[in-house]
Structure formats: C-alpha cells, structure tokens
Amino acid sequence: PRQAAAILCGGDRTAGLRRVEAPACVIHGALDPLVHPDGGRRTAEALPHAEWVLFDAMAHDLPRPLWGRLTQALVRTAARAR
C-alpha cells in the first residue's frame, strides 16, 4: 500500500527523467499487477539513454528462471556507461 500511495502522490517525473544522462535499463514484467507495463514503457521513453526490457513471464518480482536474462540486460547497461 505504501508503494502505491507513493506512486499516486509522486506526480509526473517525466521532465526530470529527460535530464538523466546515464544509461538506464527499465525492466518490467508483463504480468505486473501493481504497475501496468505501459508505465514502465513510458519511463523508458522519457529516459534519453534507456533500454526497455519487458519479460512476458514476469510479474512484480524477479523470478529465478529469469535471472540470467535480467543479468544480461544489466550488463548491457553497465557496458554503455563506459
């Protein structure tokens, strides 16, 4: 409940996200019951150097079977930071 309240009260962060210069990786689960995937996609679109990664078999968690693919996405992001 606290996370949902924070999201609702937080306001629009788009302008701030557009100023982020670091590479980013926005990871989202297609089955997320808390935050619709469109929210993650819009976050990735607002970040100038973001990779959008959607996992079909993931909800609002990081399931062990996806750890390898999650790690690969994070490694790609770290490599872009060099």
Side-chain angles (χ1 to χ4, degrees):
R2 288 190 308 262
Q3 289 177 339
I7 290 169
L8 293 173
C9 295
D12 189 350
R13 295 177 177 87
T14 305
L17 291 173
R18 293 195 192 291
R19 293 191 303 269
V20 174
E21 295 183 20
C25 182
V26 179
I27 297 171
H28 207 97
L31 305 175
D32 190 332
L34 301 177
V35 179
H36 193 275
D38 284 345
R41 182 185 48 77
R42 286 193 305 270
T43 297
E45 289 172 352
L47 288 159
H49 307 287
E51 176 184 1
W52 163 239
V53 182
L54 180 68
F55 288 100
D56 292 331
M58 190 170 90
H60 196 79
D61 59 352
L62 301 172
R64 188 178 199 89
L66 295 178
W67 285 4
R69 291 174 55 203
L70 289 160
T71 301
Q72 290 171 356
L74 296 173
V75 167
R76 284 193 305 271
T77 302
R80 291 187 293 126
R82 296 182 182 172

